[in-house]
């Protein structure tokens, strides 16, 4: 079951239906669309809200190489919205079956 507080937070930031409205961000950029070289970018916490996954999943996608930060700082990276949607659609990893020798 999804945490009911998460829905309120997403609505408070204006992130509706899998992040098609990433215009709102935290801090001084609140209410402004963040673009870098024509790409829409989001910090990790809002990237999780935009894609409908947990923040740990965003960190896992980065560790597995599905997404790479396009800016920000090491402590607060920014991710391209297009990369996030591609990672969500990517095939999930499967464990290899081990046969007894």
């Amino acid at each position: 079951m999804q945490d009911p507080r998460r829905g309120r937070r997403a609505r408070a930031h204006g992130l509706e239906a899998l992040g098609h409205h990433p215009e709102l961000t935290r801090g001084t950029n609140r209410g402004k669309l963040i673009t870098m070289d024509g790409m829409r970018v989001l910090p990790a916490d809002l990237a999780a809200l935009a894609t409908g996954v947990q923040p740990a999943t965003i960190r896992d996608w980065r560790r597995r190489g599905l997404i790479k930060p396009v800016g920000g700082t090491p402590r607060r990276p920014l991710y391209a919205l297009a990369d996030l949607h591609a990672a969500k659609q990517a095939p999930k990893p499967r464990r290899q079956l081990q046969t007894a020798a």
Side-chain angles (χ1 to χ4, degrees), residues 56-94:
T57 303
I58 300 295
R59 293 189 298 269
D60 185 53
W61 289 347
R62 181 179 178 183
R63 183 181 49 81
R64 290 192 289 143
L66 293 175
I67 57 176
K68 292 184 180 178
V70 293
T73 64
R75 193 170 182 112
R76 189 140 170 96
L78 296 174
Y79 298 102
L81 187 60
D83 292 346
L84 295 165
H85 287 298
K88 185 167 175 102
Q89 300 302 323
K92 305 303 178 240
R94 300 196 181 271

